[in-house]
Amino acid sequence: SPRLECSGTAITLFQSPEEGWQLYTSAQAPDGKCICTAVIPAQSTCSRDGRSRELRQLMEKVQNVSQSMEVLELRTYRDLQYVRGMETLMRSLDARLRAADGSLSVKSFQELKDRMTELLPLSSVLEQYKADTRTIVRLREEVRNLSGSLAAIQEEMGAYGYEDLQQRVMALEARLHACAQKLGCGKLTGVSNPITVRAMGSRFGSWMTDTMAPSADSRVWYMDGYYKGRRVLEFRTLGDFIKGQNFIQHLLPQPWAGTGHVVYNGSLFYNKYQSNVVVKYHFRSRSVLVQRSLPGAGYNNTFPYSWGGFSDMDFMVDESGLWAVYTTNQNAGNIVVSRLDPHTLEVMRSWDTGYPKRSAGEAFMICGVLYVTNSHLAGAKVYFAYFTNTSSYEYTDVPFHNQYSHISMLDYNPRERALYTWNNGHQVLYNVTLFHVISTSGDP
């Protein structure tokens, strides 16, 4: 085979004497780049190009599975630590009950007993988490073995065992998907410290990414102000947003009201100014695809959040789809949650949460649960949760650091498991911790 003569040491990449690919390294080029020369075998390998491409694709799929496994293992470990903490609490309570010997009052004893009863179901959950952790370890080992097998086949440039390997990859993907589904949703138990991405714009506004876009799409949309605005900036990446570069401008045909906008599957959903109309604006075609009135919904600061700002209607997206949060006169100002059809904007189902909207600082949806903050100012916490699957509610106590003391937009992104916040002219992110209760049947 012809080759360039250059200084350096030959490194044999494949051991087969008939197919001995070699790599030569030379000195650096004037621009600093390293110059390398590959010596390919004399015989043709064109007949195997198809199989090689398939093997390469399989390798990429295995790498993707491996990366997903790392994320899944991290989530499982984090949640397992939480449950273990609860187990320690259970043991402590049990010890106090055993050591009481009549020293506790009847009321205190009953309170301890009730607390133990609440925590008892966590025992089976802990065992399930331990089993899930062992499963993930086995899955990682299988992925590692499969990667080794594929690498060996690539070295030999052969294709025997390909069908079997393909089936193993498909099986691993199915098992990973099933495991991820089990851990996909959960109850909010914690909010991280804030991550300030940028300080830009006025005191009120909104910013977001597309909840349905593939992970490679990191475009950011930015909307400054809370009423009469029509200008939407689309940044190519989060990095460009931080630097304030590489953006295009969309001019909406109708102005917006509030800050409760959301980008979902390539379209912006927002409340048309001085109306209860929901507008679906498609970015690519730069046109309104559909608009529809939300029956009975208050608007124009009739039922805003406690901070005002024409925040009567708040649109959200979680793992189960598109939601609208608002209220009506018929609901006496209490928060209404409605599932919307993203194509027609029709209301599919509604729930009356019983929580007064004017008392809420902000709200967001995770896994079909509406979480409401008790204030938009300093000292805010997630105070109330409404579960649409059971039409029930509970008061919560999940603190988070309201660093700039004036939140005017708070939305959950299920793709990134993060809260997007506009806080007094700062664009801020929070990570969330979800507690997963897994049934023995395998259903989430």
Side-chain angles (χ1 to χ4, degrees):
S1 302
R3 64 182 175 188
L4 294 176
E5 294 295 334
C6 59
S7 60
T9 305
I11 303 172
T12 302
L13 298 182
F14 304 107
Q15 299 303 316
S16 171
E18 293 84 10
E19 300 180 359
W21 287 57
Q22 292 182 315
L23 181 70
Y24 286 79
T25 59
S26 69
Q28 288 186 335
D31 61 0
K33 294 180 179 178
C34 179
I35 300 175
C36 301
T37 303
V39 182
I40 64 172
Q43 68 183 76
S44 172
T45 57
C46 293
S47 62
R48 296 177 180 175
D49 283 351
R51 288 297 192 185
S52 298
R53 185 166 54 253
E54 291 174 332
L55 285 170
R56 192 162 54 249
Q57 290 171 351
L58 269 179
M59 284 292 288
E60 291 173 357
K61 293 180 77 174
V62 170
Q63 289 171 358
N64 291 337
V65 170
S66 181
Q67 292 170 358
S68 299
M69 286 297 306
E70 291 179 7
V71 173
L72 194 59
E73 185 175 33
L74 177 62
R75 289 180 184 170
T76 304
Y77 176 78
R78 183 175 58 191
D79 294 334
L80 179 61
Q81 296 302 106
Y82 175 83
V83 179
R84 280 177 171 162
M86 299 302 289
E87 184 186 36
T88 302
L89 176 60
M90 289 171 60
R91 289 174 178 169
S92 173
L93 288 171
D94 185 58
R96 288 178 62 186
L97 278 172
R98 294 178 183 278
D101 290 334
S103 61
L104 289 175
S105 67
V106 173
K107 182 179 178 182
S108 298
F109 183 82
Q110 187 60 41
E111 287 176 353
L112 278 175
K113 189 175 180 181
D114 291 343
R115 186 66 173 147
M116 278 296 297
T117 303
E118 290 176 11
L119 294 174
L120 276 176
L122 289 176
S123 299
S124 59
V125 173
L126 178 62
E127 294 307 313
Q128 184 65 47
Y129 266 116
K130 291 177 180 178
D132 286 345
T133 303
R134 291 192 294 270
T135 300
I136 289 175
V137 170
R138 289 197 299 271
L139 279 171
R140 288 192 66 186
E141 185 62 29
E142 288 186 43
V143 170
R144 191 178 296 111
N145 292 339
L146 183 55
S147 298
S149 299
L150 285 171
I153 289 180
Q154 277 195 323
E155 286 187 6
E156 296 179 5
M157 299 298 290
Y160 59 86
Y162 170 80
E163 288 77 9
D164 176 61
L165 288 169
Q166 187 179 38
Q167 290 300 318
R168 289 180 65 187
V169 168
M170 291 174 64
L172 277 172
E173 283 187 324
R175 292 174 65 185
L176 175 64
H177 178 72
C179 198
Q181 283 294 104
K182 291 168 69 178
L183 296 181
C185 264
K187 183 179 178 181
L188 180 70
T189 58
V191 178
S192 74
N193 287 326
I195 304 165
T196 302
V197 176
R198 190 177 182 191
M200 175 183 178
S202 64
R203 192 178 190 185
F204 315 97
S206 59
W207 71 295
M208 65 217 80
T209 58
D210 192 337
T211 58
M212 287 286 287
S215 57
D217 184 351
S218 61
R219 287 178 295 169
V220 174
W221 285 270
Y222 170 90
M223 301 167 70
D224 190 12
Y226 64 86
Y227 76 112
K228 291 188 182 179
R230 294 176 57 200
R231 184 169 173 257
V232 182
L233 300 186
E234 176 187 315
F235 291 84
R236 188 180 60 182
T237 66
L238 180 61
D240 288 335
F241 173 69
I242 294 171
K243 297 174 185 175
Q245 64 184 24
N246 295 325
F247 64 86
I248 60 176
Q249 177 176 287
H250 299 271
L251 196 62
L252 300 177
Q254 299 106 339
W256 72 68
T259 59
H261 333 297
V262 68
V263 175
Y264 179 56
N265 201 21
S267 294
L268 173 71
F269 296 80
Y270 70 96
N271 175 209
K272 180 182 175 182
Y273 179 59
Q274 290 188 324
S275 75
N276 61 5
V277 172
V278 186
V279 180
K280 179 182 180 181
Y281 175 83
H282 189 241
F283 284 115
R284 180 172 293 178
S285 64
R286 294 179 178 263
S287 63
V288 173
L289 297 185
V290 62
Q291 54 184 327
R292 182 184 295 273
S293 293
L294 201 55
Y299 62 93
N300 212 29
N301 263 344
T302 304
F303 297 114
Y305 290 124
S306 60
W307 65 271
F310 295 86
S311 56
D312 303 77
M313 295 166 64
D314 194 359
F315 302 104
M316 308 172 184
V317 171
D318 70 354
E319 292 79 358
S320 53
L322 178 67
W323 303 84
V325 171
Y326 58 102
T327 191
T328 67
N329 285 318
Q330 290 78 7
N331 290 88
N334 292 331
I335 291 178
V336 175
V337 180
S338 291
R339 277 287 304 275
L340 299 184
D341 184 319
H343 303 291
T344 65
L345 299 182
E346 291 180 311
V347 174
M348 300 163 64
R349 186 179 172 186
S350 294
W351 294 260
D352 181 356
T353 66
Y355 193 96
K357 191 165 186 289
R358 284 183 172 273
S359 298
E362 264 289 345
F364 55 92
M365 295 287 298
I366 299 180
C367 299
V369 181
L370 177 73
Y371 293 97
V372 181
T373 66
N374 65 334
S375 173
H376 63 285
L377 303 173
K381 61 183 177 182
V382 182
Y383 179 72
F384 177 86
Y386 185 87
F387 305 88
T388 59
N389 63 334
T390 58
S391 299
S392 61
Y393 70 90
E394 69 178 25
Y395 288 94
T396 60
D397 186 10
V398 181
F400 66 97
H401 183 35
N402 186 353
Q403 186 169 2
Y404 304 106
S405 303
H406 197 287
I407 292 175
S408 59
M409 168 255 173
L410 181 59
D411 259 341
Y412 171 68
N413 187 311
R415 184 185 74 170
E416 299 162 6
R417 281 203 173 173
L419 295 174
Y420 280 64
T421 306
W422 189 293
N423 195 337
N424 216 349
H426 298 78
Q427 292 74 51
V428 180
L429 288 174
Y430 294 88
N431 291 314
V432 298
T433 300
L434 303 181
F435 174 56
H436 310 276
V437 178
I438 304 172
S439 65
T440 54
S441 63
D443 296 327

